[in-house]
Each structure stands twice: as structure tokens, then as C-alpha cells.
Amino acid sequence: MQEWKKAFESKDVDSIMAFYAPEGFTAFDLMPPFHFEGGEMWRKNWVDFYEAFDGPIELELADLRVDAQADLAIARCAVRMAGTMFGRPMDSWVRTTNCFRRVEGEWLMIHDHVSWPIDFATGKALMDLTPAGAGR
């Protein structure tokens, strides 16, 4: 997860894509569409995402928990993302669950799920919450 964090912060699409399984990958991300399937669709998401940021992106991981057995693993954590997105400061924690499969001795992500809690009364994402194990 620390190596993934470095690749994410590098804003290098090839570096980040190296963490994902080339076949059978799916994602539920913050940005549309509702469901991503396949590497090319996911690659375009990363290109669009990085283009939305001016300058560096800073990540912080909190409450990381990894459970693994044989060739499957699940990583859960909170991720703080900070930077300038669409010309505005952005600093928010998201919930992340990643599923991995060991492919030829290498752990590759087969599913990525990122979300914010929702206030059902307003229908708005709660982007200002901080997890209990966070540094800020």
C-alpha cells in the first residue's frame, strides 16, 4: 500500500496502473461512471483524475488493515487526499477497500472501492469527516 501511495502521488499513469490486474479488474470510484470494468477504462479514469489536479497530490493512509490468505487479500483504510483540484483546495478523507489476487507471485489489485459517507437527509457526500486513527 505504501508503494501504491508513492505511485499515486507521482501522478504517473503507467506507475499506478502497474498495481492493477490487467484482466478481471473492477472499481467503484468517487467519479462516474457507477462501475469501472477493465484496464483501459480505469487508465482513462486516472488520466482524467490527474488532469484535474494542479500541482502535487498528497496522500495519507490511516487505520490500514490487511487480511490475506493464500492468493487473496483485502486491504481497508482511510485515505486523506489533499491538493488543488479544478483550481480549488481539496483536503478530504475517503474510505477505501482494495481486493488483491496473487498473480505469478505478485499481488495485483482486482477491485478498488472508494467512497465518502452520505448524509441521507441532504443527499450530500460528507467530505469533511476525519477517521479516528487520523493524524489531523
Side-chain angles (χ1 to χ4, degrees):
M1 290 299 296
Q2 291 298 326
E3 292 300 315
W4 174 87
K5 175 185 175 294
K6 288 179 195 173
F8 186 109
E9 290 176 328
S10 77
K11 296 172 64 175
D12 181 306
V13 174
D14 290 333
S15 293
I16 197 72
M17 288 299 295
F19 288 86
Y20 300 98
E23 295 183 21
F25 175 80
T26 62
F28 302 141
D29 201 18
L30 297 173
M31 299 187 302
F34 187 80
H35 177 232
F36 289 88
E37 184 136 359
E40 286 309 309
M41 188 178 196
W42 193 235
R43 174 181 286 280
K44 181 176 178 344
N45 182 62
W46 280 108
V47 169
D48 294 345
F49 178 80
Y50 286 142
E51 286 177 355
F53 275 87
D54 301 321
I57 305 171
E58 178 188 343
L59 290 189
E60 178 182 344
L61 305 180
D63 301 329
L64 177 62
R65 179 175 173 173
V66 177
D67 294 294
Q69 291 188 354
D71 291 334
L72 290 175
I74 297 172
R76 297 168 289 191
C77 65
V79 177
R80 178 179 159 253
M81 192 170 37
T84 301
M85 187 175 202
F86 298 114
R88 294 184 308 262
M90 192 261 202
D91 190 342
S92 184
W93 285 93
V94 296
R95 306 172 296 187
T96 302
T97 303
N98 305 117
C99 302
F100 296 87
R101 177 180 293 135
R102 191 180 349 230
V103 178
E104 297 177 11
E106 184 178 14
W107 288 102
L108 296 175
M109 199 177 303
I110 58 172
H111 183 72
D112 186 10
H113 187 135
V114 182
S115 65
W116 281 297
I118 299 294
D119 178 339
F120 285 104
T122 65
K124 303 286 185 193
L126 299 173
M127 299 171 62
D128 60 347
L129 298 179
T130 302
R136 69 170 177 128

